[in-house]
Structures are given as C-alpha cells and as structure tokens.
Amino acid sequence: MTIKVLLADDQILVRAGLKVLVDSAPDLEVVAEAATGRQAVALAREARADVVLMDIRMPDMDGLAATKAITADEDLAGVRVLVLTTFEVNEYVFQALRAGASGFLGKGTEPEDLLDAIRVVARGEALLSPVATQGLIARFLEQPDRRPTPSPATLSALTDREREIVALVARGGSNDDIAEELAVSPLTVKTHVSRALLKLGARDRAQLVVLAYESGLVRPGER
C-alpha cells in the first residue's frame, strides 16, 4: 500500500529535494505540494494525504496554525503531521506537538531516517525521536513562565498502571522498553497506551508526552 505524502514548505528547492527523496521509495508517493500553510490545509483535504511534512515558517499561514487546522478537522482524522524544523523555535515545535503533530525531525536528518519516519507516522505510531522530543519539552517547560502546574484531574481517568505507562512513554520509552521494565508483554503495554490515548482524547504518543509534562506527572530532569 502506497503512503501518500503532502510536502509543505515555502522554499521550492527544498520541496524539490524532498520530492525526489520521497518518490525514490517504492512505498511512498508525493501527491501534492504546498508553499503556504493555507495551501497545506486545503491540499490535505483535497489530496487525502496520509502524512504531511510540515515546515514551520511559511507565509500566509505558518506551519503551526496549519497543523492546528489539520489536526482539529474531524474529516482529516487519519492525516498525520510530521514537523520539519531546524530546532530554532522550540516553543513553536512544542505547540505543534500539543496541537496534534505526530512528531518532529530536523532538516539535517539522514534521508533514510526521514523515509522511515514517514512510515512510522503513517502507521499511527509516534513519538518520533522520543529522547529529542523529551528534551525539547523539558527545555521549554523549564522556562520561568512555562513551568507546568500539576493537575491531577487531567489524568484522573487513568488507572494506576496506565499512569505509570504514560510516564514511561513521556520519558522516551518504546513499548518494548516499557514491557521489559515492567515485566509484561509489549502487547499489554500497547493495550494500556491505547486506552490512555482514548481516555485522554490524545491523537498519539506525542500528545501523551505533552500531557504528561503539562499535568506534572513527569517533570523536566526526572528519570
């Protein structure tokens, strides 16, 4: 099954390079290109892409606003957003994850890693680069005016085991890592993660990480 990809970047040379790379993979295909965030939102609806590679800095509507528009649209529930960034604007990346982006990658990522990331996101699996994402969120929340306020009610719907697993997800653990630590099967971990996603109304693991930090379940620097 071919994964349909939408490229959203205002630089035509960047899009051209990404298109050549993505189309070189037999299971991936670029179905549309957008030069602005507004175009990205419109084309996400028209092209029915599986994954949007989203730049942050674009004219008309930036990538953050476009990500929010796409992830808030119920008709686009199956569309995943993968943010491409130079890590210059940590706050924007954090907000994109909170808005529903499935993860982020740096523009200096190796070609094969980018292709693999598209496949991972298309399968509905996030978080991409969990350690890097954890570090990003931790740095953002360590700012004096951005410290999380513990809010137990946010996670009150979860069982103790689900809370424990969400915390481990937030620290960058994969299902296999968590299963080994808790001496359970990866399938059991996957089931608990799925239930937590449903109870919290989160799209994927990326949002679980954000919620874990914002609620105070996990704090920057904790292990």
Side-chain angles (χ1 to χ4, degrees):
M1 210 173 156
T2 301
I3 298 170
K4 297 182 290 185
V5 180
L6 165 61
L7 305 178
D9 195 296
D10 63 330
Q11 298 183 46
I12 189 169
L13 289 179
V14 172
R15 294 201 311 273
L18 288 171
K19 178 174 173 55
V20 170
L21 173 62
V22 172
D23 285 343
S24 71
D27 58 334
L28 307 177
E29 178 189 6
V30 174
V31 294
E33 298 180 40
T36 71
R38 200 171 303 280
Q39 287 179 357
V41 176
L43 288 172
R45 297 191 179 106
E46 294 174 16
R48 290 295 165 179
D50 299 304
V51 177
V52 180
L53 290 184
M54 183 77 74
D55 187 28
I56 289 182
R57 291 179 175 172
M58 289 186 290
D60 190 18
M61 175 189 284
D62 65 25
L64 176 60
T67 296
K68 288 181 178 179
I70 291 171
T71 58
D73 191 331
E74 293 183 0
D75 292 335
L76 299 177
V79 179
R80 302 294 174 179
V81 177
L82 175 57
V83 174
L84 292 177
T85 176
T86 56
F87 302 107
E88 295 178 88
V89 280
N90 288 352
E91 179 174 353
Y92 284 174
V93 178
F94 177 81
Q95 289 177 357
L97 291 172
R98 183 166 53 189
S102 293
F104 70 92
L105 287 175
K107 287 186 175 179
T109 298
E110 291 295 323
E112 283 303 317
D113 291 339
L114 175 58
L115 297 179
D116 286 341
I118 293 172
R119 297 182 183 108
V120 169
V121 169
R123 291 196 300 265
E125 298 176 17
L127 178 69
L128 293 173
S129 185
V131 174
T133 302
Q134 177 189 2
L136 168 73
I137 293 172
R139 288 195 303 275
F140 178 59
L141 292 178
E142 282 174 340
Q143 298 174 21
D145 59 342
R146 292 292 184 178
R147 290 190 179 280
T149 301
S151 177
T154 303
L155 304 178
S156 61
L158 303 182
T159 65
D160 289 343
R161 178 61 100 182
E162 288 165 354
R163 287 168 62 92
E164 182 179 25
I165 288 176
V166 168
L168 291 172
V169 168
R171 295 186 180 104
S174 66
N175 285 355
D176 289 342
D177 294 335
I178 296 170
E180 183 176 354
E181 180 168 342
L182 299 181
V184 298
S185 73
L187 180 59
T188 296
V189 175
K190 183 177 180 180
T191 299
H192 283 303
V193 171
S194 296
R195 288 174 179 167
L197 289 169
L198 182 63
K199 290 179 179 180
L200 297 175
R203 285 171 62 97
D204 54 36
R205 295 168 79 99
Q207 285 199 308
L208 283 185
V209 174
V210 173
L211 286 169
Y213 274 99
E214 288 195 314
S215 68
L217 179 64
V218 175
R219 298 179 185 279
E222 282 186 344
R223 292 189 177 277

